[in-house]
Amino acid sequence: FLPLAEETGLLVELGSRMLRDSLAQLAHWRAAAYPFANCALSVNVGTRQLVDPSFYDMVVDALSETGIESDSLWLEITETALLSDVKSATVALRDLRSLGLHLSVDDFGTGYSSLTYLKRFPIEAIKIDKSFVAGLGIESEDTSIVEAVVRLGQALGLSVVAEGIESPLQLSRLRDLGCDRGQGYLFGRPRPSNLIERERTGVEV
């Protein structure tokens, strides 16, 4: 679905709607004083979105309309999106970063990133792809790759996030390696907003 949406140009419109809806949901939670609402929001950004001339203004408008401060928003960009048009991506990322929001490289290790680009782009975090985390502590190759990415992030002053954590073994190894953050089914699965509200507060909504 997503590759087709990107190929046909619909991803720009869909991405805009997802960003606006996500920020509006967070604003609703904060207005309702839900205890879990003091959090950051991460939204994926596709290649066409990043280099679209209207994307910057859309982000500014969405933040303004919802009242969410830019420091609460993370935009996650894949390596492919960054390298599709390096010059345009660099300008776009610098403009977005000037708003005070945060930038991370998603699915790190699955593309063709250069250390030069990691230094050039104003990113703050790299996310280790779940395909490597899956073999952590089991496959020596995956373990070595994860360790190398964590060390790379530390050397460059970047936060490192592990994707796809599903077992206590993976979590334990990541902690041993000094990985900063993690996400995955071990912590919880995707849920509709009303279910999250029920589970977190114990109140029917």
Side-chain angles (χ1 to χ4, degrees):
F1 170 73
L2 289 178
L4 181 60
E6 184 152 14
E7 181 181 334
T8 58
L10 289 175
L11 191 60
V12 174
E13 183 177 348
L14 288 172
S16 173
R17 179 62 182 269
M18 287 187 285
L19 177 64
R20 291 179 183 276
D21 287 354
S22 298
L23 287 170
Q25 181 64 64
L26 182 58
H28 165 70
W29 282 340
R30 290 187 175 181
Y34 284 111
F36 55 83
N38 186 26
C39 62
L41 174 71
S42 295
V43 180
N44 294 92
V45 175
T47 304
R48 289 181 181 268
Q49 287 177 274
L50 183 62
V51 298
D52 186 273
S54 66
F55 184 65
Y56 174 88
D57 290 335
M58 186 276 293
V59 173
V60 172
D61 291 343
L63 290 169
S64 177
E65 290 167 3
T66 58
I68 298 296
E69 66 278 9
S70 57
D71 186 55
S72 292
L73 177 62
W74 281 82
L75 297 182
E76 300 184 0
I77 302 101
T78 63
E79 290 180 82
T80 304
L82 293 176
L83 299 181
S84 62
D85 186 338
V86 174
K87 184 176 180 180
S88 296
T90 301
V91 173
L93 291 178
R94 288 177 178 169
D95 288 343
L96 290 166
R97 186 70 185 92
S98 71
L99 296 175
L101 52 75
H102 306 283
L103 302 168
S104 64
V105 178
D106 197 19
D107 302 333
F108 186 79
T110 60
Y112 304 96
S113 275
S114 160
L115 298 186
T116 301
Y117 294 140
L118 282 182
K119 181 179 178 180
R120 177 176 180 177
F121 294 132
I123 60 172
E124 299 165 87
I126 51 179
K127 303 185 70 177
I128 307 173
D129 188 70
K130 62 182 180 181
S131 63
F132 302 121
V133 175
L136 185 59
I138 302 173
E139 299 289 340
S140 60
E141 292 87 354
D142 286 346
T143 300
S144 296
I145 290 173
V146 172
E147 182 175 3
V149 174
V150 172
R151 298 287 176 259
L152 174 64
Q154 293 171 340
L156 295 176
L158 301 173
S159 178
V160 181
V161 184
E163 299 179 304
I165 302 175
E166 298 187 3
S167 73
L169 172 62
Q170 294 166 345
L171 179 60
S172 176
R173 293 304 299 270
L174 287 164
R175 283 174 170 165
D176 291 341
L177 292 173
C179 187
D180 300 291
R181 288 177 288 157
Q183 65 183 64
Y185 289 168
L186 181 64
F187 308 115
R189 291 177 177 268
R191 288 171 169 79
S193 59
N194 62 335
L195 183 57
I196 292 174
E197 293 165 7
R198 267 204 315 272
E199 291 176 338
R200 296 289 183 174
T201 64
V203 177
E204 291 290 336
V205 293

